[in-house]
Amino acid sequence: MSDFKLLTEEKIQKQIDAEIDTFPAFVKSYILAISGSTSASTRLEYMRDIKKFFQYIIEANTEYPVNDIMDITPQILESLDVDFLNSFFFLYLKAYRENGQIHTNTNLSICRKLSSIRGLYSHLFINDIIKKNPVIKINQPKTPGKEIVFMEPEETQKFLSAVETGNLNAGNMEKKYHEKQKLRDTAIISLLLGLGLRISECIGLDIDDINLNNYEIKIVRKGGKEAILYMSDTLAAIMAEYMEYRKTLSPLPSHEAALFLSIQRKRIGVRAVEKLVSKYKNQADISKNITPHKLRSTFATAYYETTSDIYLTAEMLGHASVETTKRYANLSNHRKYENRNNSII
């Protein structure tokens, strides 16, 4: 794992270490138990969800009154009934006041918090620390299906043309900047569109992660798991040209390994990639809200249409379940039109 990826994990782990001592021992045991299967950022989110739940227990539980999170026991968690749990998830979390501000949660956010609490209860139940698990009786809130935005093939070509040419009506300074960054931007966009990388996977790439001889690219998925993806001939040629250009750059200390650099000669960040995608989307005159993640769904759609293999598409995207992939693997309007006569009527 690169220094950048290690530093990111270490930074979040330090936050976990700083907060974990504010929890009872059984919560520490749970966080330790999931450390091998989750990323540090996921564990930190789980801890914060559990803390909010414990704070509600202190405020609202009258059967076993406690004044501090450290006083909460597994037996108190076991004693909570369905009404109490429903009140927390579906009344309190919908809108609560904290530090003088009103905080709200969508059903999607509540689903995540429910998952965090379920994980804790499951850990306690499996390890015979509690004898019953009341959370299993809580129904998952309904979440409206969110339309997946992706580019049709003609939109993708317009987008790529904008990356190649830049703003034709731009001034000399803007054109000069585009020429300087064109190889970098083309490589970034090509990886997002050509392999469906997450933005974090893309900016976390090091020079040594690219093996042009074997067409390999090594990425780190969510949770820190490494994966090998294979570049097409076209993508490999784009990366080869960029890699030669990358040799001419002089990164700042501690950024030498980074594949992609910002104008400040540091590893490029999430916001910079979001801005360049937005810039080329506007230059291509595409009305859709195209973001780096929309390039990922565009890849998923095109890849699934070409292969008709949902499992291979899921593997390329790094999805643990094909149910997640099905949300991204849309059939384009062109493909739907082509197959309009395949109906039984």
Side-chain angles (χ1 to χ4, degrees):
M1 190 179 294
S2 71
D3 291 341
F4 168 76
K5 297 156 193 166
L6 283 171
L7 286 171
T8 302
E9 283 283 305
E10 287 173 2
K11 182 178 179 181
I12 299 173
Q13 186 59 49
K14 285 181 179 178
Q15 291 180 266
I16 293 173
D17 295 340
E19 295 185 30
I20 195 66
D21 287 335
T22 64
F23 289 92
F26 66 89
V27 177
K28 296 181 186 180
S29 174
Y30 167 57
I31 297 301
L32 179 62
I34 64 173
S35 61
S37 58
T38 58
S39 66
S41 59
T42 296
R43 295 194 296 278
L44 186 60
E45 288 296 327
Y46 278 21
M47 286 171 56
R48 290 173 176 171
D49 292 340
I50 292 169
K51 184 175 184 178
K52 177 56 59 185
F53 179 51
F54 282 10
Q55 288 171 337
Y56 181 75
I57 291 174
I58 292 171
E59 295 172 12
N61 186 28
T62 57
E63 186 175 354
Y64 294 94
V66 290
N67 297 315
D68 191 88
I69 285 176
M70 295 295 288
D71 297 329
I72 294 175
T73 66
Q75 287 65 44
I76 290 177
L77 299 186
E78 186 178 30
S79 72
L80 301 177
D81 59 26
V82 172
D83 288 341
F84 183 91
L85 294 170
N86 278 330
S87 294
F88 170 70
F89 288 112
F90 306 119
L91 293 179
Y92 176 76
L93 287 180
K94 284 288 185 180
Y96 64 90
R97 184 179 293 275
E98 186 174 83
N99 298 325
Q101 292 185 322
I102 298 296
H103 299 265
T104 61
N105 284 278
T106 64
N107 277 1
L108 193 61
S109 295
I110 292 172
C111 278
R112 200 208 70 212
K113 290 174 169 56
L114 178 56
S115 177
S116 302
I117 306 307
R118 274 180 172 161
L120 174 62
Y121 268 88
S122 178
H123 170 78
L124 296 175
F125 184 76
I126 290 172
N127 288 280
D128 296 322
I129 299 172
I130 59 176
K131 300 301 180 185
K132 62 178 182 178
N133 182 356
V135 179
I136 62 174
K137 298 178 182 179
I138 306 302
N139 294 321
Q140 193 90 350
K142 289 184 178 180
T143 54
K146 189 176 181 181
E147 182 184 2
I148 300 298
V149 177
F150 63 98
M151 291 189 292
E152 299 285 354
E154 57 272 19
E155 292 172 318
T156 302
Q157 288 306 312
K158 286 174 61 179
F159 186 86
L160 291 173
S161 294
V163 179
E164 173 64 26
T165 62
N167 183 2
L168 297 177
N169 298 317
N172 290 334
M173 287 295 292
E174 186 178 341
K175 287 181 179 178
K176 185 177 179 181
Y177 177 80
H178 175 260
E179 282 301 315
K180 184 176 181 179
Q181 300 296 345
K182 183 169 74 171
L183 290 177
R184 182 202 68 181
D185 292 357
T186 300
I188 289 174
I189 296 300
S190 297
L191 286 172
L192 295 174
L193 270 174
L195 290 175
L197 298 190
R198 296 179 177 91
I199 190 170
S200 59
E201 295 167 349
C202 185
I203 67 173
L205 286 170
D206 286 341
I207 295 172
D208 291 343
D209 291 331
I210 308 296
N211 185 332
L212 294 171
N213 292 329
N214 295 331
Y215 299 89
E216 292 180 350
I217 173 171
K218 182 174 67 177
I219 61 171
V220 177
R221 298 289 197 190
K222 283 183 175 180
K225 182 180 179 181
E226 291 189 348
I228 298 294
L229 299 179
Y230 292 92
M231 298 176 280
S232 67
D233 291 347
T234 300
L235 180 54
I238 291 171
M239 294 308 299
E241 188 176 10
Y242 172 72
M243 297 282 278
E244 285 300 313
Y245 168 70
R246 174 63 180 80
K247 293 176 183 178
T248 68
L249 304 180
S250 301
L252 292 180
S254 80
H255 296 271
E256 295 90 348
L259 180 61
F260 297 118
L261 299 174
S262 68
I263 195 69
Q264 293 83 20
R265 298 184 292 133
K266 298 178 180 179
R267 183 184 294 272
I268 199 167
V270 171
R271 184 61 186 141
V273 176
E274 289 174 341
K275 288 175 70 174
L276 73 87
V277 170
S278 177
K279 177 181 71 174
Y280 292 126
K281 169 254 185 191
N282 291 332
Q283 290 177 5
D285 195 26
I286 297 173
S287 60
K288 293 176 180 176
N289 180 28
I290 301 302
T291 65
H293 197 71
K294 303 305 186 296
L295 301 188
R296 179 169 160 85
S297 57
T298 299
F299 162 81
T301 300
Y303 195 81
Y304 178 59
E305 285 191 355
T306 302
T307 64
S308 299
D309 190 332
I310 194 68
Y311 294 98
L312 183 57
T313 306
E315 180 69 20
M316 290 293 294
L317 292 169
H319 289 158
S321 168
V322 294
E323 294 305 315
T324 304
T325 311
K326 287 176 182 177
R327 296 178 58 245
Y328 292 85
N330 302 276
L331 286 176
S332 69
N333 291 335
H334 176 70
R335 181 74 176 274
K336 292 173 186 174
Y337 180 81
E338 280 187 335
N339 288 277
R340 70 193 188 284
N341 288 321
N342 290 336
S343 171
I344 59 174
I345 296 177

